[in-house]
Amino acid sequence: MDIYQWQLTLMAFVFGMCVGSFLNVCIYRIPAAQSIVTPGSRCPSCGAGIRFYDNIPVLSYLLLRGKCRRCHAKITIRYPLIELLGGLFAIVVFLKFGLSIEAAVNYAFIAVLMAITFIDIDHRIIPDVLSLPGIVVFFLAGLAVPTVTWKESLIGILIGGGSLFLVAWIYHLLTRKEGMGGGDIKLLAMIGALIGWKGVFFTIFVASATGTLIGLTVMMATRQNMKLAVPFGPFLAIGAVTYIFFGPQLIYWYFHLF
């Protein structure tokens, strides 16, 4: 990698951390039905406005030792971790797709999935304000991605939303209880809009496998019963991101292995 590539990689990392900082705002405010534009960033404990030099991704957290400058309340370490995650994803997207429209589309998609993941972890909801517009936006944006045709995207929306709707309907029919949430259905439709129907099947497989593994691990570690509720949205996000970077190769490897 030459010096020019190093500079672009560093710029991608810094840009990604700034996106991660904005995602922190979205994760906190969207479930509370607050504007993500105004007012500016504030301490969740004392409500004091955060000055620009205290709002530098990761660095400000380290300089302030994880505390608010005014009230000294502790700031959760998750904020800088999400900023770092945004930066790392920006690097890997740049290294895979270079400076391209495809890179921009995929990174925007991953950023939305990051916001949805942490909102679902915190509140057990997937906001319609992210998933429903995401279906349309990523279907249109997918036209700039050469790996998926518009027909594959359209089928991905139908299969993505339809498959989980069918599962939820059958589960409700058999148990008279709510199983799969409506947010998961809309999320998988959004995922299908960008990565197509092949990506939907891959996402469901990876999400089911990782969800089962982690769910069983949590139940054994906490000695909870089989009724432990685990949000499915984060696992759908893991499956979709895995497909973006490794999906076609893993599918090729799987079918040629057997």
Side-chain angles (χ1 to χ4, degrees):
M1 183 181 294
D2 58 27
I3 186 65
Y4 178 69
Q5 287 291 102
W6 278 111
Q7 289 174 339
L8 290 178
T9 302
L10 178 59
M11 290 174 61
F13 181 64
V14 173
F15 170 78
M17 286 199 299
C18 293
V19 172
S21 181
F22 175 69
L23 291 179
N24 278 322
V25 175
C26 296
I27 293 165
Y28 180 81
R29 294 188 183 185
I30 288 177
Q34 298 176 2
S35 170
I36 61 174
V37 179
T38 57
S41 297
R42 297 182 176 276
C43 171
S45 296
C46 67
I50 299 176
R51 299 172 183 177
F52 74 92
Y53 50 78
D54 286 337
N55 208 21
I56 302 172
V58 180
L59 181 61
S60 291
Y61 181 89
L62 296 175
L63 293 176
L64 293 170
R65 298 181 180 179
K67 296 180 181 180
C68 171
R69 182 182 292 275
R70 179 176 177 180
C71 69
H72 305 293
K74 288 185 177 180
I75 302 172
T76 174
I77 196 172
R78 198 175 78 175
Y79 286 134
L81 290 179
I82 290 175
E83 290 166 353
L84 280 173
L85 189 60
L88 292 174
F89 271 126
I91 288 177
V92 294
V93 167
F94 168 68
L95 292 178
K96 183 174 178 64
F97 301 105
L99 284 176
S100 63
I101 295 178
E102 187 175 5
V105 170
N106 280 299
Y107 186 72
F109 181 66
I110 291 171
V112 172
L113 290 178
M114 284 177 59
I116 287 174
T117 292
F118 288 101
I119 290 174
D120 200 15
I121 290 173
D122 289 343
H123 303 281
R124 300 295 193 271
I125 60 170
I126 297 176
D128 288 347
V129 70
L130 292 176
S131 59
L132 289 180
I135 296 173
V136 178
V137 169
F138 289 116
F139 172 76
L140 296 176
L143 299 176
V145 178
T147 55
V148 180
T149 68
W150 70 269
K151 292 182 180 179
E152 291 174 326
S153 296
L154 185 59
I155 296 173
I157 294 172
L158 297 175
I159 292 179
S163 60
L164 288 193
F165 176 81
L166 182 61
V167 170
W169 180 75
I170 293 175
Y171 182 85
H172 180 73
L173 190 66
L174 295 176
T175 65
R176 297 299 175 183
K177 298 179 181 179
E178 293 294 330
M180 188 70 62
D184 296 319
I185 295 171
K186 285 168 269 192
L187 172 59
L188 192 56
M190 186 193 83
I191 290 171
L194 184 68
I195 63 178
W197 63 270
K198 295 178 183 177
V200 165
F201 286 123
F202 181 94
T203 297
I204 292 174
F205 174 79
V206 172
S208 300
T210 55
T212 299
L213 179 62
I214 294 178
L216 290 174
T217 301
V218 171
M219 283 189 289
M220 289 187 292
T222 59
R223 298 184 179 180
Q224 296 284 340
N225 59 31
M226 294 300 290
K227 295 182 180 180
L228 176 67
V230 178
F232 196 50
F235 301 111
L236 290 173
I238 290 172
V241 172
T242 303
Y243 182 82
I244 288 174
F245 293 110
F246 310 109
Q249 297 93 322
L250 289 175
I251 292 173
Y252 178 87
W253 171 81
Y254 177 82
F255 282 106
H256 283 74
L257 181 65
F258 298 101

